[in-house]
Amino acid sequence: MFDDIAFWVSYLTNGKHLTWYASFQFTIIAALLGGALAVIFGLTGATLKNSRFWPLRMIGTVYSAIVRGVPDVLFFLFFPLAFEQGVEWFVASQVCTPEMIAAQSAPWPPCKEANWFLGTPEYLILASVSLGLVYGAFATNVIHGAMRSVPAGQLEAARAYGMSESQVLWRVHIRQMWVYALPGLSNVWMLIIKATSLLSLLQIADIVLWADRLGAPNFLPTVGLVHDDWRWRYYLVLFVFYILVTWLSERAFDAITRRVGRGILSEAHG
Amino acid sequence: MQAFFDDLALMAPAVMFNISFAAASIPLGFVLAVFLALGKASSNPIINRLSRGYIYAFRGSPLFIQFFMFYSLALSLNVTVWKPMGWSGFVLHPLFMGPFVLVLNTAAYTAEIFYGALRAVPRGAIEAARAYGMSRSQQFRRVIWPNLIRLAWPAYTNEVVFLFHATAIVYFALPVIGGQRELMSTAQNLFETDYNAFLHFPVAALYFLAVSLVIFFIFGLIYQRLMRHLPSPPRLRYIPKWLR
């Protein structure tokens, strides 16, 4: 009994497990940064979509529409790779000489000097930006709809008080928009949380990758077989972890919705 | 330009994998979802709890993890269960495992849509059916179901497109057997040979976009057929309001 507890304590606190616990930070950072960027891109997209200038309006409309026809994984993989190659292409156009290009045997980059090595922090930022871009398109639709749900009388009243257009926008329109946008934004946030499970596709040693490594049959010469294939147990832990995060987010969004909806007469809050 | 057409040709067999994954899981998921939605609305506490829990768990966790979890579970049962029965080649094959997990996943999302629609069925219609002396199964077949499916159809269309997009991660979680690859895995594979991200991924995106538009079109036609009793049938919008 006591030996069992001692075994589990030492097993769950060995170096690999501690690394696994530490790797939760990548998931959390990607979710928070991606969520914040999604709101920013969403606000930008909604502004573009509302623009009076035709080309800008088209950009906003296409941005919010295209992501719905294409899977999020594709953008998630494509954007970091494309960004990396874009930078390398630019560097190559500055530093590469014909001799360097002739010496290069690999198809990319054009010359070895233009190679840009990306580590975990760089990939994490790129992954967050692509999460923001993809789910920003969803947020664009949500915010665009919410902006139109704000009662026209509120804006008229603000104008009647002599507020300038930007004052009306920031003090009344966007302030009141959140109440209508929150249910949709909570949906987008849930999608972002679930998309953070894909970080391992971008060479980030995240919780999924570590679960796979830790669960694989573990053989030590001194001890023998520590455990056979335990991967499903580790994935079950992640499964429960994501359900818990979803549950917590739901509670948090309920609380925020109630707080933001104070003093506003509408059916948007319960 | 030639490279573009080469890519189109290379990915044509790959898109068939996406389509068959989706086509295999949509009907099964639909049937399972109807039962789950009825279970969630059921007054029997056990059935109600189980359906609620199932829907919550599968909507609250990433499909990517679900793939890994079920695949590794099947792997760990291999020696004791599948192998003696001679099933390991079948159960562990991505062509079975992929649709299997997709069915479990889409059933939960679809059940939530159907449950929402079930609650939105006009109470008066059900009361009228009861007043006519219809039995419970008659009520369901004649009154609740026709109302439910009409209410749920736009959101269900969206879910089907999402499911189609979700087939993109099948081979990121499951092993590739015999060079069978779907679009995303093909694009990734091609990218690793010549590092041309700007060609392969957009071509894959084009295929996804094309099939998504076809799905929207077909489901829009079905929606018009469902709504043919209305004087001016509402059109299914290309950009549905619902989020997954």
Side-chain angles (χ1 to χ4, degrees):
Chain A
M1 174 64 199
F2 206 72
D3 282 352
D4 273 5
I5 295 174
F7 165 76
W8 282 110
V9 168
S10 68
Y11 177 72
L12 290 175
T13 53
N14 68 17
K16 272 190 170 182
H17 274 86
L18 292 180
T19 323
W20 182 39
Y21 305 144
S23 69
F24 277 83
Q25 63 179 308
F26 301 135
T27 306
I28 294 165
I29 291 172
L32 292 177
L33 193 56
L37 286 171
V39 171
I40 294 170
F41 286 130
L43 278 171
T44 317
T47 316
L48 288 177
K49 228 176 155 177
N50 271 333
S51 164
R52 278 191 215 122
F53 187 49
W54 181 82
L56 288 182
R57 199 164 62 231
M58 277 315 286
I59 292 173
T61 312
V62 169
Y63 170 59
S64 64
I66 197 106
V67 179
R68 286 171 169 276
V70 177
D72 48 355
V73 202
L74 201 148
F75 273 97
F76 189 72
L77 275 180
F78 173 69
F79 174 74
L81 295 174
F83 186 79
E84 183 188 355
Q85 290 203 341
V87 171
E88 281 174 342
W89 176 82
F90 177 75
V91 174
S93 69
Q94 303 296 315
V95 297
C96 285
T97 60
E99 301 86 68
M100 286 176 181
I101 292 171
Q104 171 71 315
S105 54
W108 190 265
C111 68
K112 285 203 180 67
E113 286 69 14
N115 187 34
W116 181 30
F117 175 77
L118 291 173
T120 300
E122 289 90 346
Y123 267 124
L124 194 60
I125 290 170
L126 285 178
S128 309
V129 174
S130 54
L131 279 181
L133 273 175
V134 175
Y135 294 103
F138 288 83
T140 298
N141 282 309
V142 170
I143 292 175
H144 182 73
M147 294 284 264
R148 303 215 302 196
S149 306
V150 176
Q154 297 279 347
L155 307 180
E156 278 163 20
R159 275 188 216 111
Y161 271 108
M163 287 189 183
S164 70
E165 273 307 307
S166 72
Q167 278 177 325
V168 173
L169 180 71
W170 287 104
R171 295 195 185 171
V172 180
H173 206 162
I174 290 183
R175 229 15 111 69
Q176 296 201 11
M177 174 273 289
W178 293 116
V179 185
Y180 303 94
L182 267 174
L185 288 180
S186 116
N187 259 329
V188 176
W189 170 246
M190 303 294 177
L191 289 173
I192 292 177
I193 293 173
K194 283 180 251 169
T196 55
S197 64
L198 299 171
L199 286 179
S200 58
L201 297 180
L202 286 177
Q203 337 286 330
I204 298 171
D206 74 330
I207 50 177
V208 181
L209 199 83
W210 275 108
D212 192 69
R213 284 184 193 166
L214 285 164
N218 191 349
F219 183 85
L220 290 176
T222 49
V223 192
L225 190 66
V226 180
H227 61 73
D228 50 358
D229 193 352
W230 274 7
R231 268 174 288 191
W232 67 275
R233 302 184 188 205
Y234 284 91
Y235 285 126
L236 192 65
V237 170
L238 290 188
F239 186 69
V240 174
F241 165 73
Y242 273 105
I243 293 171
L244 279 179
V245 173
T246 305
W247 182 75
L248 275 178
S249 312
E250 254 179 24
R251 301 298 296 274
F253 266 99
D254 278 352
I256 297 172
T257 310
R258 239 176 290 125
R259 179 156 172 86
V260 172
R262 282 173 317 162
I264 292 182
L265 283 174
S266 78
E267 62 289 300
H269 63 105
Chain B
M1 204 60 207
Q2 188 54 42
F4 175 74
F5 288 116
D6 286 350
D7 251 33
L8 277 183
L10 275 172
M11 290 194 189
V15 73
M16 293 317 291
F17 278 95
N18 291 77
I19 293 174
S20 37
F21 280 139
S25 25
I26 288 165
L28 286 172
F30 185 89
V31 174
L32 190 53
V34 175
F35 286 106
L36 281 170
L38 289 177
K40 191 170 174 179
S42 157
S43 53
N44 181 328
I46 300 171
I47 297 175
N48 186 298
R49 291 268 171 77
L50 281 177
S51 318
R52 261 173 208 280
Y54 178 89
I55 294 172
Y56 198 85
F58 277 83
R59 289 180 79 235
S61 62
L63 178 62
F64 202 50
I65 303 282
Q66 290 163 19
F67 268 123
F68 278 125
M69 195 173 75
F70 282 100
Y71 183 68
S72 54
L73 199 59
L75 262 185
S76 71
L77 293 176
N78 188 25
V79 178
T80 50
V81 184
W82 316 127
K83 219 166 214 166
M85 293 163 86
W87 282 10
S88 30
F90 174 72
V91 173
L92 297 178
H93 201 285
L95 289 186
F96 168 79
M97 218 50 212
F100 174 72
V101 180
L102 284 171
V103 165
L104 294 181
N105 183 66
T106 190
Y109 282 99
T110 312
E112 187 65 24
I113 294 170
F114 286 174
Y115 174 70
L118 186 65
R119 299 221 312 177
V121 171
R123 190 138 282 276
I126 302 171
E127 276 164 14
R130 218 181 286 146
Y132 271 110
M134 286 190 187
S135 70
R136 289 199 59 159
S137 73
Q138 271 180 324
Q139 281 174 37
F140 183 75
R141 273 184 297 130
R142 301 260 168 96
V143 180
I144 299 177
W145 177 251
N147 268 308
L148 187 157
I149 197 68
R150 284 184 186 122
L151 287 167
W153 200 257
Y156 181 63
T157 306
N158 208 26
E159 166 55 25
V160 167
V161 173
F162 263 115
L163 175 76
F164 178 67
H165 290 176
T167 59
I169 61 171
V170 169
Y171 282 111
F172 286 134
L174 304 180
V176 177
I177 294 179
Q180 297 172 342
R181 288 172 179 281
E182 47 73 55
L183 277 174
M184 260 326 280
S185 161
T186 310
Q188 174 85 347
N189 197 34
L190 287 172
F191 170 76
E192 277 160 12
T193 55
D194 62 359
Y195 298 101
N196 194 344
F198 291 94
L199 175 64
H200 304 310
F201 289 110
V203 171
L206 219 61
Y207 267 114
F208 275 114
L209 196 63
V211 179
S212 307
L213 287 176
V214 170
I215 294 175
F216 274 123
F217 179 71
I218 293 172
F219 276 68
L221 285 184
I222 298 176
Y223 191 55
Q224 278 180 359
R225 169 109 188 123
L226 285 173
M227 291 299 194
R228 66 189 182 281
H229 60 288
L230 294 182
S232 63
R235 297 176 59 91
L236 194 63
R237 292 167 60 221
Y238 163 57
I239 305 167
K241 257 164 67 183
W242 292 70
L243 276 169
R244 182 169 180 165

